[in-house]
Each structure stands twice: as structure tokens, then as C-alpha cells.
């Protein structure tokens, strides 16, 4: 579901020729234009037919801006883009946060601070290998992986759960648990990957055990072990 305010009432009033809504434009109008442009492009029309409307074409007043859907980045996305110097983060006092300050802020705000470094190591691992990594919370996983092109071109191929290397064989990793998770993945046409992250020792990276440390861990010290889990179907030839 969209996180922006619903527009169905305004679109209905416009369709009923309500004078108060005549000429008003909505986000759905942009979507319809883009789909039409894509169809025209597929049918061989000139590239200039792909000219798409932008948010400025909606003539939205500044008072309506808070109701629009903003771009939302996960903590892992923000850290990754900040590492590449593609994202500048400012605090409430408009101070530009360094990478170490951003790490400290996000790790401290995490509900599972001790797992934050492990999941970011897994996120970094997949992003640097060309995958588009998104949250997998809808499928009971930590991440889902899209191939080249991202969510706009295809569905995710893999669901990923991240675990510490020293938790292999614990209750959470029982076959009953894994079978249930694998069943969910198969229903949504995704393969399940269990990503075990071997954390470095405390003397190498103290910030992992104390998330309030100002220094982000060295990701080259982490080791990743992946296991692809497939559900066995005896009726399948």
C-alpha cells in the first residue's frame, strides 16, 4: 500500500465534473502517462514520446507537499550510499554527519544493535556484487535480492536471512523453522538463502560489541558463507 494520502475521492469528484476538482492533477495521472509512454515506445514510436511528466507538472502547492510520498531509505541503504559519497546526511542542526557519526547514530537506534553490523555486512556483500537489495520483512526474511534492473523490471529472485556463524544448529535454525520459511519462499517464487556472517574478533573490531563506538567496523574482516535452501517435493520428477 502507498504511504501517501489517498486520492480516490478527488479523482471521483473530478470524474463527476465537480467544478472544485476540474483541472486538478494527481499522482495516478503521472503513472498513467508513464504507462502510455512505455506502450508507445514498445510499439515503435519516436523516443520523444517518452517525455514524462514530473512532480512540478502537478502544480502542487507547498502546503500539500507533506502529503506526497517521500523517498525512504533503510539504514543499510543510507550507510552504503554514504560510503560511496553519494548521500549527504545532516542532523537536526544541519550539521553534515561523517560516516562514523552516521554509523554510530544508526547502530544506536537499531532495536537489535548487536546484529546491525552483521546485517550491514551482508547488505554490503550483495550490493557490491550487483544485486539490488531491499527489505524482506514481507516474506519473513531480512533481505530480498533483485537482479540487474531492480524492482521496476522483475520480481526478486532470492530471500535472504542473515545469521551469525556461531548460531548454526540453534533452535531458530531447526528444520521445522527452515521448512516453514522455505514454504513461504516457494509460494512467492523465491529461493531461500541463509547467509552466515562470521564476525571478526573483539580485538579487531570493538565497535561490533559496543555499538556506541564511533568507528564503523572494517567489513574486510567479515566472512560470508551462503547456503541455498530448496524445499524437497517427492512428487516432482
Amino acid at each position: 500500500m502507498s504511504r501517501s494520502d489517498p486520492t480516490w475521492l478527488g479523482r471521483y469528484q473530478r470524474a463527476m465534473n465537480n467544478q472544485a476538482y476540474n483541472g486538478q492533477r494527481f499522482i495516478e495521472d503521472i503513472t498513467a502517462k508513464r504507462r502510455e509512454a512505455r506502450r508507445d515506445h514498445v510499439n515503435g514510436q519516436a523516443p520523444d514520446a517518452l517525455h514524462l511528466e514530473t512532480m512540478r507538472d502537478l502544480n502542487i502547492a507547498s502546503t500539500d507537499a507533506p502529503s506526497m510520498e517521500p523517498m525512504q531509505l533503510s539504514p543499510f541503504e543510507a550507510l552504503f550510499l554514504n560510503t560511496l559519497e553519494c548521500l549527504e546526511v545532516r542532523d537536526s542542526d544541519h550539521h553534515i554527519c561523517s560516516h562514523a557519526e552516521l554509523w554510530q547514530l544508526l547502530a544506536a537506534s537499531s532495536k537489535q544493535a548487536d546484529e546491525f553490523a552483521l546485517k550491514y555486512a551482508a547488505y554490503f556483500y550483495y550490493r557490491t556484487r550487483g544485486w539490488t537489495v531491499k527489505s524482506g520483512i514481507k516474506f519473513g526474511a531480512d533481505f530480498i535480492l533483485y537482479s540487474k534492473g531492480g524492482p521496476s523490471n522483475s520480481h526478486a529472485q532470492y530471500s535472504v536471512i542473515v545469521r551469525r556463524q556461531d548460531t548454526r544448529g540453534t533452535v531458530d535454525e531447526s528444520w521445522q523453522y527452515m521448512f516453514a520459511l522455505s514454504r513461504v519462499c516457494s509460494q512467492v517464487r523465491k529461493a531461500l538463502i541463509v547467509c552466515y556472517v562470521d564476525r571478526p574478533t573483539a580485538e579487531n573490531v570493538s565497535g561490533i560489541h559496543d555499538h556506541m563506538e564511533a568507528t564503523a567496523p572494517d567489513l574486510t574482516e567479515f566472512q560470508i558463507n551462503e547456503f541455498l535452501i530448496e524445499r524437497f517435493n517427492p512428487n516432482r520428477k
Side-chain angles (χ1 to χ4, degrees):
M1 297 181 65
S2 174
R3 294 176 294 273
S4 56
D5 289 343
T7 61
W8 63 268
L9 179 59
R11 289 183 285 118
Y12 173 78
Q13 294 290 351
R14 184 181 63 182
M16 299 300 294
N17 295 322
N18 187 324
Q19 294 184 357
Y21 292 88
N22 285 342
Q24 187 168 346
R25 308 294 298 279
F26 300 96
I27 295 178
E28 288 78 7
D29 298 324
I30 290 182
T31 302
K33 272 287 189 180
R34 287 176 174 170
R35 289 175 177 170
E36 180 182 356
R38 291 191 187 102
R39 286 195 297 268
D40 293 341
H41 181 63
V42 170
N43 293 332
Q45 290 197 11
D48 57 5
L50 288 175
H51 173 70
L52 304 178
E53 293 182 84
T54 64
M55 299 301 291
R56 290 187 293 272
D57 296 321
L58 293 176
N59 297 321
I60 298 173
S62 58
T63 54
D64 296 330
S67 65
M68 306 302 293
E69 182 173 352
M71 176 183 292
Q72 296 181 338
L73 298 176
S74 72
F76 307 112
E77 290 175 312
L79 271 174
F80 184 80
L81 293 176
N82 185 257
T83 301
L84 300 179
E85 298 182 352
C86 296
L87 178 68
E88 184 180 273
V89 179
R90 297 174 181 265
D91 59 18
S92 58
D93 296 325
H94 300 286
H95 165 72
I96 299 177
C97 297
S98 66
H99 184 69
E101 291 173 334
L102 181 60
W103 171 271
Q104 182 183 15
L105 176 65
L106 295 178
S109 63
S110 174
K111 293 182 179 180
Q112 297 178 323
D114 57 334
E115 302 293 330
F116 185 82
L118 301 178
K119 291 184 178 180
Y120 179 63
Y123 178 91
F124 190 91
Y125 172 80
Y126 289 112
R127 279 299 301 266
T128 54
R129 280 157 178 76
W131 294 97
T132 299
V133 186
K134 296 296 182 182
S135 172
I137 190 171
K138 292 191 296 184
F139 308 106
D142 294 307
F143 303 116
I144 53 177
L145 305 181
Y146 294 87
S147 60
K148 186 176 180 180
S152 61
N153 290 342
S154 63
H155 292 287
Q157 294 177 255
Y158 298 98
S159 293
V160 180
I161 57 174
V162 180
R163 297 291 183 267
R164 293 195 307 271
Q165 181 71 23
D166 55 12
T167 61
R168 291 178 60 183
T170 61
V171 175
D172 284 344
E173 307 304 327
S174 66
W175 284 111
Q176 292 88 342
Y177 171 81
M178 296 305 301
F179 185 85
L181 189 57
S182 178
R183 182 65 178 265
V184 171
C185 292
S186 65
Q187 292 296 316
V188 293
R189 300 182 180 277
K190 292 173 178 49
L192 174 63
I193 294 177
V194 182
C195 178
Y196 289 105
V197 181
D198 190 6
R199 65 173 63 192
T201 58
E203 55 269 20
N204 289 337
V205 184
S206 60
I208 294 179
H209 300 281
D210 182 4
H211 63 270
M212 293 305 293
E213 289 286 339
T215 303
D218 183 2
L219 296 180
T220 61
E221 299 289 341
F222 289 78
Q223 293 184 356
I224 305 292
N225 293 312
E226 301 172 276
F227 293 88
L228 179 64
I229 307 298
E230 294 183 344
R231 188 168 66 93
F232 174 69
N233 185 351
N235 297 322
R236 183 184 303 170
K237 295 182 180 179

